Amino acid sequence: MAHRVSDIRLGVKTRVFHLGDYRRATVGPGQDVPDDYFFVNGEDISDLGGCEVSTEALDDASAASVLLRQKILRKCREDIYHFFDKEKGQIAIYDAVNPLAAGRRVLAKEFAKHDVQTLFIESACDDVRIIEENYVGWSSNDAVQHYLARITAKIPHFETMNESELNYIKMINAGERLSVNNCSFGYLSHRIVFYLLNLHIKSRHTYFARAGNPSKGDSYKLDASLAEQGIDYARKMGDTLVKHREEERQALIDRGGPDTPLKSLTIWTSPRRRTVETAHYLQQKGYRVRQRSQMSQLNPGSYHDLAVRLEPIILELEREQNDLLIIAHESVLRVLYGYLMACNATDIPTLSFPRNEIIEIIPASYNNQAKRIHIPDLPSEIIPASPEDIRIPVASSGVVSPMNGLGSPMSGAQSPMEGNRSPDKDYVTPKEPGSGTHLLVERALRGSET
């Protein structure tokens, strides 16, 4: 959920701080925290904000566990303050369970001392179908039982949000219903609410494919039809995708998954002639095709301009519940891929989409996964990237980038902050109207992913 919320960050400097990553970075690879780490101490309530605690046991946590918990929380908060104060960050996603009302109140007061407004998000799920979709390969009963056991073990006495003095959003069943307590919402808070209204976490695969090569050169000014090679590419790309989806379905059945039909596949193209004609082969097979004017490549322009223009597409992409094939120019694919895969802005211009590959984006709990599907038997001359795109510049260093780096630690990193500094340090972020200088988005959890 935290990484999905962070994707509202078009034009806003944002970073995710996942407390579980800090815990793993502190205890070391392959190590676990003490058994009493999640026990509640009555005198320790001031340190429970953001801590994934358990009230199942009657015994208090040991002194060593309390000190470890305080060390982890302190490091995470120090990095948040550094992000706000030194890197001019605007939104920090503080990803932790926060199960107790008392701990949430303490947390809000602590950050308020640093001129940080806090917005809590509670994600609740009691829809068995959604739980089953997130346990691919499990039987329905086993999935539900395993899920509920994880929740009970971690937070058996979760207190749902009813604190009238706090800003919070309750999201029920992946966007089926939203409940908002608005004490002092500003522009960014309202934007988060709007984003969550368009969000769902139901399983869906997204595919990216280049348009076929045109008959009159790869130029922005010429809206040419496909060459014969382009028509051949469209047929081979379509056949490859149809075959891959059926093979994936069969592999799921072989692993014990349900024998259910494939999700419907919707195709989006830009209005450019060659992208429309690339989709024509699949359209003749009965697949639905929609033209999206925002997906035309921008020339001249910048990736920042293109990302801002694509924001309505991104919101509609989040609403889409069918599998989705997007056929577009490389510059458009780079921005959409960067959004879904949380890429650093400096990496977006170098993303490669050769014509002999379909990119599949597979949803996962923390970060989506990408897979390259090879399209066989294409002539080598149509495979390389488009030279036209090289002349589309990246936004200058003084402009806020639509996609910043994330703050969770890399594998083996000593600190979650190492190697993840955002490049646009000179940018001065605007204040959140009607609030403090910064916004902290906090996550609480009830019957959702841990």
Side-chain angles (χ1 to χ4, degrees), residues 23 57 72 142 161-162 176 244 252 293 327 443:
R23 187 176 68 249
I72 293 169
D142 288 347
M161 290 187 190
N162 288 306
E176 182 182 279
H244 170 78
L252 176 60
S293 61
I327 303 173
R443 183 173 74 100

Side-chain angles (χ1 to χ4, degrees), residues 289-301:
V289 178
R290 296 182 59 193
Q291 296 179 30
R292 309 309 308 271
S293 61
Q294 299 96 330
M295 294 201 316
S296 293
Q297 69 262 39
L298 196 65
N299 188 302

Side-chain angles (χ1 to χ4, degrees), residues 61-297:
S62 66
S65 291
V66 171
L67 289 174
L68 177 61
R69 191 160 66 200
Q70 292 172 341
K71 177 182 178 181
I72 293 169
L73 288 168
R74 184 166 56 250
K75 176 58 180 170
C76 185
R77 291 180 186 177
E78 286 174 354
D79 283 352
I80 290 174
Y81 297 145
H82 184 280
F83 171 66
F84 281 143
D85 299 336
K86 304 299 182 182
E87 299 183 52
K88 304 182 180 70
Q90 195 167 356
I91 295 181
I93 313 290
Y94 187 26
D95 185 14
V97 176
N98 308 300
L100 303 181
R104 293 192 291 265
R105 289 189 175 98
V106 169
L107 193 67
K109 291 178 181 178
E110 167 68 22
F111 282 107
K113 295 176 184 176
H114 295 262
D115 202 20
V116 176
Q117 183 190 31
T118 305
L119 169 64
F120 291 89
I121 298 177
E122 176 182 317
S123 177
C125 180
D126 56 14
D127 187 333
V128 174
R129 293 171 301 173
I130 297 175
I131 298 173
E132 290 173 355
E133 279 196 352
N134 285 273
Y135 278 82
V136 177
W138 292 60
S139 70
S140 298
N141 184 64
D142 288 347
V144 173
Q145 293 304 314
H146 181 267
Y147 176 80
L148 294 176
R150 288 181 64 199
I151 296 299
T152 301
K154 280 277 185 122
I155 42 174
H157 299 287
F158 185 90
E159 298 173 356
T160 190
M161 290 187 190
N162 288 306
E163 302 92 305
S164 60
E165 74 277 17
L166 298 181
N167 294 315
Y168 64 77
I169 303 168
K170 289 185 182 182
M171 185 177 179
I172 295 94
N173 290 333
E176 182 182 279
R177 288 182 291 124
L178 243 65
S179 175
V180 178
N181 191 60
N182 178 355
C183 295
S184 56
F185 276 17
Y187 167 74
L188 293 178
S189 302
H190 283 290
R191 196 170 179 189
I192 291 171
V193 173
F194 179 68
Y195 177 80
L196 291 177
L197 285 169
N198 291 278
L199 183 65
H200 71 84
I201 58 172
K202 296 181 179 179
S203 178
R204 182 204 69 227
H205 289 210
T206 304
Y207 305 92
F208 293 146
R210 294 268 304 282
N213 55 311
S215 57
K216 297 181 180 179
D218 196 358
S219 170
Y220 171 78
K221 295 180 181 179
L222 295 175
D223 191 12
S225 294
L226 290 180
E228 284 300 320
Q229 284 183 330
I231 296 172
D232 180 63
Y233 160 80
R235 185 180 68 256
K236 290 176 178 175
M237 184 273 291
D239 286 342
T240 298
L241 180 59
V242 170
K243 180 182 177 182
H244 170 78
R245 296 181 75 232
E246 186 54 47
E247 289 176 346
E248 290 290 291
R249 173 181 173 273
Q250 186 59 50
L252 176 60
I253 294 172
D254 294 343
R255 295 195 300 268
D259 185 1
T260 55
L262 284 168
K263 278 183 175 287
S264 297
L265 177 69
T266 300
I267 303 169
W268 290 357
T269 76
S270 80
R272 305 283 290 178
R273 185 176 286 117
R274 60 180 172 140
T275 62
V276 173
E277 292 180 358
T278 302
H280 187 59
Y281 176 75
L282 286 171
Q283 188 175 29
Q284 289 179 318
K285 287 181 171 291
Y287 294 96
R288 182 183 179 215
V289 178
R290 296 182 59 193
Q291 296 179 30
R292 309 309 308 271
S293 61
Q294 299 96 330
M295 294 201 316
S296 293
Q297 69 262 39

